[in-house]
Amino acid sequence: MSPVLHADLPRFVAFGEALTDLICTGLDSWISRCGGAPWNVARALSTLGELSAFGGAVSCDVFGQALWQESMDASLDPRFIQQVERSPLLAVVHETHPPRYFFVGDDSADLHFHPSGLPQGWRQFVRWAHFGGISLSREPLAGRLVELAESLKAQGVTISYDPNYRQGMDSRYDDTLERMSRLADVIKVSDEDLCGLFRSPTAHLGLGQLSAWNPQARLLYTRGAEGATLYKGSREWSAGALAVEVVDTVGAGDAAMAGFIYACLHEDGEEAQLRFAMAAGAAACLQAGARAPRLTEVRELAGQVQLLV
């Protein structure tokens, strides 16, 4: 398939890592899947119909080519993906129940992304930029991305942030966590994120700290099967999880993030936006892998989301 070259530059860009999951499926048996939280969000936004791009670097080998091809299949703007002659970033998932994994990526391609290589004039078009994932914990890439987020915020671009806690985001990540939380207009976190990032057995400490750092941000707090709550200032809206037949939860959080962003761009009202986020996350669970849901199925499921009083 030939790359889709858009006449206009996208108004949504997700910045960070695209990687390959190497998943153990049995004794001496492995499969590979394209992934990476920011890449998942960009692909999901594009599948929902938003002109989107992923801003990041991938390798030129078989793993990088697979990421490139899936990006093109999802109609992501190819001008934002930089291919470099470096090794691929890999997430080696050696156990799946519960997930146990480690990353392989010393001096890998993702670390060599440079915003200076993005297409001319892109800043005039972008209205929403998303950041998160392990990219913000991997130097020197992390420093470049935080500076990019701050400069985009200064020009009036809406910033969303999903830290997507992973092993290795310890006290060294604290400064980045605070900087990104203070500048973001939208923050998405889960129970696991809050407990891991704030090194606390409960999520309450993390929620309080995020609110203190940025009381004006919209805070989307997801709790898996227990539903989600959207906070905005002193107001809050909660919704129960949809009763769907779950096949795979991989990528559900990224789909929910994409659904929420899409709704903020196209739907009025926090209740509608929360419903859309819940529906997108549920739709991603209906098939195996980090699936990007379609707009028609998300709209159908959104009508089934029950708001809680």
Side-chain angles (χ1 to χ4, degrees), residues 216-282:
Q216 303 306 314
R218 284 170 285 177
L219 176 59
L220 180 60
Y221 171 40
T222 60
R223 304 187 302 281
E226 296 182 12
T229 300
L230 174 62
Y231 298 93
K232 183 179 180 182
S234 60
R235 303 185 65 191
E236 63 180 75
W237 301 263
S238 293
L242 281 165
V244 298
E245 186 174 346
V246 175
V247 176
D248 191 347
T249 60
V250 173
D254 300 327
M257 179 81 261
F260 186 74
I261 294 170
Y262 182 90
C264 288
L265 291 169
H266 296 277
E267 304 284 343
D268 292 327
E270 287 76 11
E271 292 184 356
Q273 293 160 6
L274 178 58
R275 282 194 175 98
F276 212 86
M278 297 295 294

Side-chain angles (χ1 to χ4, degrees), residues 133-187:
I134 64 169
S135 58
L136 291 176
S137 66
R138 290 171 54 77
E139 296 293 356
L141 176 62
R144 293 190 208 113
L145 292 181
V146 174
E147 290 179 1
L148 177 62
E150 291 174 338
S151 67
L152 289 171
K153 174 73 172 185
Q155 77 174 56
V157 175
T158 299
I159 304 296
S160 56
Y161 170 49
D162 180 359
N164 212 286
Y165 172 75
R166 292 293 182 266
Q167 296 171 6
M169 290 183 179
D170 50 26
S171 59
R172 294 169 293 181
Y173 187 74
D174 289 352
D175 180 63
T176 297
L177 174 63
E178 181 175 353
R179 287 175 69 182
M180 289 300 300
S181 297
R182 286 186 181 278
L183 69 87
D185 299 282
V186 172
I187 304 170

